[in-house]
Amino acid sequence: MQPWDVDVQRRTLVYANKILDVVDRLPNARSASILANQLGRSATSVMANHAESTRARSVAEKIAKQGLCLQELQESHAWLALLKLRTYCDVEIRDALLKETDELIGLFVTSIKRFANQ
């Protein structure tokens, strides 16, 4: 595994864990349950798909897996934005997660472009 992959794998693991912490603290309202399910799935999918991308059999497969990471991050961003409107969680934690989501999106966009130009 390349050093970039090791760092991103660590970041996606920490990201998924923090998202699950937020999900666990959401109220028992039906709307919160919907958000929890969707956000939890998309954020943990980033971690899983990146792990798979580190063992890709080809550049095309690596790009495809990282493309899935990018899609799931964009979905996570949308759920976090809705969570912001619903005021279900701590502002600082939510804003930190939005910032990390944006940073991870940037990393995956850069990586996909780099592999596409090889």
Side-chain angles (χ1 to χ4, degrees):
M1 199 177 333
Q2 299 296 317
W4 184 90
D5 286 324
V6 172
D7 181 54
V8 174
Q9 189 62 37
R10 180 195 56 76
R11 283 182 75 170
T12 59
L13 177 66
V14 169
Y15 176 76
N17 190 53
K18 287 180 180 177
I19 292 283
L20 292 176
D21 285 345
V22 167
V23 163
D24 285 343
R25 290 189 198 107
L26 291 176
N28 280 335
R30 185 157 189 239
S31 60
S33 294
I34 292 167
L35 281 168
N37 185 43
Q38 296 294 337
L39 179 58
R41 286 176 179 269
S42 61
T44 55
S45 182
V46 174
M47 177 197 64
N49 280 298
H50 179 265
E52 289 180 25
S53 82
T54 65
R55 294 178 292 282
R57 293 169 290 200
S58 67
V59 171
E61 186 177 355
K62 187 164 189 84
I63 291 170
K65 288 294 180 184
Q66 288 190 0
L68 289 172
C69 293
L70 186 55
Q71 288 176 321
E72 296 295 344
L73 282 163
Q74 291 166 329
E75 181 179 338
S76 295
H77 194 282
W79 293 121
L80 286 165
L82 184 55
L83 194 61
K84 183 176 184 174
L85 288 176
R86 302 297 298 189
T87 64
Y88 282 147
C89 77
D90 180 77
V91 173
E92 288 180 25
I93 293 170
R94 185 204 56 230
D95 288 350
L97 286 170
L98 280 166
K99 182 178 184 246
E100 179 65 3
T101 303
D102 288 338
E103 288 179 13
L104 287 169
I105 287 171
L107 287 174
F108 280 103
V109 166
T110 300
S111 178
I112 289 167
K113 285 180 180 178
R114 181 175 47 110
F115 282 111
N117 291 327
Q118 284 186 355

